[in-house]
Structures are given as structure tokens and as C-alpha cells.
Amino acid sequence: MEYRIEHDALGEVKVPAERSWGAQTQRSIQNFPIGVGRETMPPEIIRAFGLLKKAAARANRALLPEKMTEEKLRAISAVCDEIIAGAIPEEFPLVVWQTGSGTQTNMNVNEVIAHRGNRAAGKALLHPNDDVNLSQSSNDTFPTAMHIAAVLLLTETLLPALEGLIAALWRLEAENADAIKCGRTHLMDATPLSFAQEISGWRASLETDGELIRRSMTPLMDLALGGTAVGTGLNAPRGFGAEAAARLAELTGLPFRSADNKFHALSSRDELVFSHGALKALAADLMKMANDIRWLASGPRLGLGEIFIPENEPGSSIMPGKVNPTQCEAVTMVAVQVMGNDAAVGFAASQGNFQLNVFLPVLIYNWLQSARLLGEVMASFDRRCVSGIRANREKMKENLNASLMLVTALSPRIGYENAAKTAQKAHREGLTLREACLALGYLTGEEFDALFHPEQMI
């Protein structure tokens, strides 16, 4: 392999000749061989840095035109466009397990932009610190990139997948309004409801989660950029944070704004904790919904068997013909991962000391994994399971008619205690409710038939 010599404040470093990064990136590669190839900085963060650096250059052009010339702005913007498009992922090899401020990733981006910009210009036009990092610090850029990445992932991936799943549930509701079935509480038989009503519970839960997630995005629009090292804005021109946020809003079409208090914006991560709490709520509801679906589909002969779900693949290497609710299992595993990630996010956010939190990479790594997995698993769950659910109406009717809790319809006429005795007699002696009630002398056949209409109990 051929190398070139780069240098930083600590001296010279050999860098692979074909790569665009510089000395500080190379030092990070050498000093943090932890999770290499598996746990590198998420691409959402790299994309966010591309947007951030382009917006910062535009802000500097407006506020410091003597330093950020039009030529420099064009050169920075061109490389940023490559980064935003995800065209050069090989230039960003650094792992999550690096400095807790994300400084090395910020410098990785700075070095790549400067090197590629200089190569295109055919001269030493850009310096990583003096030009690409102008008016910035890693301490305000990395928290800013975290918020940008989070908002974009929610907007572009998670919320569309959630909305698609909700739409599928609305369709299923409409198709099953007349399917009456037994309700269940405590995993025991309960009074009837329609299958549409059961589905509506899932749908309303997901709609609530979507609203909570959207509410959590509002504080994520506040950006730390402009606070530089400790929140004072040292070495940044007055108004830089507001100008850069406005430029980001132009680039993304999202209402980003400069945080009012940069000391908070650098040292606290409560916005991401709050937002991940909404993701955990979604995970909890998806867990419940997926478990309901696999219980209702259990069987096919010895379980509840009240719904049919798509048969996507063989379910056993030893039992021929077996098919399992694998999409439900994927949903529940993702939910478990999200709940675990929530602990990591909370612990990381609690570790701010004085003017900076230095658990940023691990926090955003877990946050982004949660949002990404939830978005992807909902899209798969919708396509490969929920959209193909069909009611087994015969089994629903059979289970409903066998339910002892239909006796609840008799309580207003014969009283709670007599209704309980009716159900207990029917259960002990293998009778129908009608037979038990008549045997106990609580009602005549005509009276029972007049009262007993399960379809009216919903």
C-alpha cells in the first residue's frame, strides 16, 4: 500500500495515499481498534455532518466573507453534496467507540472535505480547521449533527412506515366490522367485541405513538451550533448560530433553529432522551400488537386460530409443514432491542460533566438504531403480515358461542350471583349456558332466548 505523509499538532502521520482523510482521522483509526467494520459511525450522522458543514460554510460566507470566499464556499459545498448523497462512505471509517465528544468524526469530515476540495481545485485552497471548521467546534457540531440525523430519520423513515401500518389497520377495520368474537382479559374469556374493535385498539395505540413522536421532534429542532467550545460562542461571529440554522432549514425544508441556551445545548441531551421515550412507547405498543396477532393466529388446530396470517417460509427444520409467525417475532425482538437501547440512551445522557457530555457517540448510535429498526420492522410487518391478515370467522363464532362470559348479558335480569352460578354449572357439567340457566330455574327458554344476543353485546 502506498502512503502519503500528513501532519497535525502532534507531528507527522502516514495516511493511505488513496484516502481523503488526514492525520487526525488516521490517529483515531490507530488508537481505537474497537468494533472496526461493525460499529462505525452511523451513516445518518455522516450525512448530517455534510448538511451541517454546507450550512456553516454558507453562514460564514454571509458573516465572514473575507475568510469564506466564494471559491472556498463552492469547494466545500461540492464535497458536502457528495457526503449528503452517501457517495463516499469509505472515507468515514471511524468507530463509535472513540472520543466521547465525537471530535474525531468532526475532524474526519473536515479533513475529507478539505482534501477533496483541494484536489478538485488543484491547489491548497482549504484547511480542515481554519476553513471547513470555521466558527465551529466539535463540541457544538456533533450535538447538532445528532439532532439533524434524528429528525431526518424520523421524518423520512420511521413516520412513513408507521403511517403505512396505520393505514393497513384502517383497511382491516373496515373489512371486519361484522366479525363478532370473544374478548379476552387476563388471557381469560371475556365479553364479546367485533374484530374491527379489536383492530381499532391497535390502530389507536399506534396513532397515539405517532403523535408523541411528532411532539418529541419539536425540541430536536433546537441546534447547538454557534456555542463552539463551552457555549460562549468563542471564535464564532455574532449571529452565526441563527444564520447556520436558517441555512440548514433551507437545505432540509425542516424548521431548525438556533438553541436559546448553548450551555444547555452542549451539556444536556434531554431532547434525545425524551424522543427515545416516544420510540420506546411505540416499541411497547408494537410488542403488544405483535403478541396479540400471534396468539390469535396460534394453531392452526390446537390454538386460538381466530385469524389467518401470511405463510412466508417453512417454520421448522424437523417438523414438515410447520409455519411460524416470524414477522411477529421480528417485531418483538426489535421492541426488546429498543427497550435496551433506552437504558443506554438514558445512562449516556446522565453523564454530562460541567460544559459537555462526552457520551455522544454511544447515545446517538443507540438512538438511531432504535429509530431505524422500528421503521424497517414496521414496513416489513405491514407488507408481510398485517396486510395479509384474514379473519377465521367460523372459528371466531365457535369460540364465541362456547364462551361462558356471555352470561354477563343475563346479569341485569337474574343478578350477578345467579349469573355466576349459571356459568359455574355450565363449566363443571359441560353444559351450554342455556341448559344451565334453565336447569337452575332462573329463566324459561323463551326468556333466555329473548335476552341472549351476543351480537348486541358489543
Side-chain angles (χ1 to χ4, degrees):
M1 180 181 291
E2 295 184 0
Y3 294 90
R4 70 177 191 276
I5 301 299
E6 293 282 337
H7 72 275
D8 58 15
L10 296 182
E12 294 185 343
V13 181
K14 289 172 62 178
V15 175
E18 74 275 12
R19 297 276 68 95
S20 299
W21 62 70
Q24 292 195 49
T25 301
Q26 191 64 34
R27 288 190 192 279
S28 185
I29 292 171
Q30 295 167 357
N31 291 330
F32 297 96
I34 309 165
V36 177
R38 300 182 301 276
E39 293 159 359
T40 53
M41 196 60 66
E44 295 91 348
I45 285 290
I46 303 304
R47 178 192 177 198
F49 262 106
L51 290 162
L52 184 161
K53 295 295 178 181
K54 185 173 183 178
R58 289 184 176 184
N60 280 319
R61 176 60 183 157
L63 299 173
L64 297 172
E66 70 284 359
K67 291 187 176 182
M68 182 57 64
T69 66
E70 187 63 33
E71 184 182 19
K72 289 181 178 180
L73 173 60
R74 286 197 303 271
I76 291 172
S77 297
V79 183
C80 286
D81 287 341
E82 289 186 281
I83 295 171
I84 295 165
I88 49 173
E90 67 280 359
E91 297 292 356
F92 306 101
L94 300 190
V95 295
V96 171
W97 318 108
Q98 53 164 281
T99 174
S101 62
T103 297
Q104 290 148 7
T105 287
N106 180 46
M107 284 308 304
N108 182 193
V109 175
N110 290 336
E111 290 175 344
V112 168
I113 293 173
H115 189 84
R116 294 179 76 86
N118 290 342
R119 184 189 302 164
K123 60 182 179 180
L125 175 65
L126 301 174
H127 186 279
N129 299 80
D130 296 336
D131 298 305
V132 186
N133 204 58
L134 181 62
S135 307
Q136 305 153 62
S137 163
S138 299
N139 295 355
D140 65 351
T141 58
F142 202 90
T144 297
M146 292 168 74
H147 280 208
I148 296 169
V151 170
L152 290 176
L153 187 53
L154 293 177
T155 301
E156 297 173 352
T157 300
L158 186 139
L159 287 174
L162 177 57
E163 289 161 4
L165 183 54
I166 290 169
L169 293 172
W170 272 114
R171 178 182 56 78
L172 285 175
E173 280 184 65
E175 294 173 358
N176 291 283
D178 59 342
I180 311 303
K181 63 186 295 292
C182 182
R184 295 178 178 87
T185 59
H186 303 268
L187 293 181
M188 307 300 283
D189 303 342
T191 55
L193 77 168
S194 72
F195 187 36
Q197 289 172 325
E198 186 166 38
I199 295 167
S200 76
W202 302 336
R203 185 256 308 157
S205 295
L206 298 187
E207 288 176 335
T208 299
D209 296 327
E211 179 58 29
L212 294 174
I213 290 167
R214 290 183 182 90
R215 290 181 189 178
S216 80
M217 290 172 64
T218 300
L220 290 174
M221 298 296 176
D222 291 337
L223 303 180
L225 200 59
T228 64
V230 297
T232 62
L234 180 67
N235 290 352
R238 185 178 297 276
F240 174 77
E243 182 70 22
R247 301 293 183 168
L248 268 168
E250 292 174 1
L251 289 171
T252 61
L254 296 165
F256 289 113
R257 54 188 174 264
S258 184
D260 291 334
N261 189 304
K262 298 298 193 295
F263 306 102
H264 161 79
L266 268 62
S267 61
S268 175
R269 301 273 61 87
D270 52 7
E271 297 91 348
L272 286 163
V273 173
F274 178 61
S275 183
H276 198 275
L279 297 182
K280 183 172 68 171
L282 172 59
D285 283 330
L286 286 171
M287 173 78 84
K288 189 267 184 195
M289 175 180 166
N291 279 335
D292 282 356
I293 288 172
R294 61 178 168 181
W295 272 109
L296 291 173
S298 61
R301 292 189 175 180
L302 305 181
L304 296 180
E306 292 187 346
I307 63 173
F308 302 109
I309 59 176
E311 298 181 346
N312 295 320
E313 67 276 310
S316 174
S317 60
I318 189 173
M319 293 175 279
K322 195 171 193 294
V323 180
N324 296 329
T326 52
Q327 289 294 314
C328 295
E329 291 163 7
V331 170
T332 55
M333 286 192 291
V334 165
V336 166
Q337 184 66 55
V338 172
M339 292 172 190
N341 286 351
D342 193 68
V345 168
F347 281 124
S350 74
Q351 296 304 301
N353 296 121
F354 302 113
Q355 279 68 60
L356 190 64
N357 180 296
V358 290
F359 285 70
L360 303 183
V362 67
L363 193 159
I364 197 62
Y365 177 74
N366 282 274
W367 195 103
L368 292 171
Q369 184 190 55
S370 291
R372 189 187 312 114
L373 286 176
L374 285 169
E376 291 171 355
V377 84
M378 284 190 294
S380 182
F381 191 41
D382 177 5
R383 177 182 174 187
R384 296 176 177 87
C385 181
V386 173
S387 289
I389 288 175
R390 293 181 295 113
N392 184 347
R393 292 170 180 255
E394 290 184 6
K395 186 65 173 176
M396 287 181 178
K397 183 177 181 180
E398 176 186 333
N399 288 344
L400 176 64
N401 289 336
S403 173
L404 297 176
M405 290 305 100
L406 296 180
V407 76
T408 307
L410 307 180
S411 291
R413 175 70 177 272
I414 67 175
Y416 181 93
E417 291 189 10
N418 288 340
K421 291 176 183 178
T422 300
Q424 290 162 359
K425 182 177 179 64
H427 181 54
R428 285 194 305 267
E429 300 179 20
L431 304 174
T432 65
L433 288 173
R434 189 179 193 277
E435 291 168 339
C437 190
L438 268 62
L440 291 169
Y442 295 144
L443 294 171
T444 66
E446 289 182 357
E447 290 171 330
F448 183 95
D449 294 340
L451 290 172
F452 196 75
H453 295 284
E455 71 279 0
Q456 296 177 9
M457 297 175 69
I458 67 171

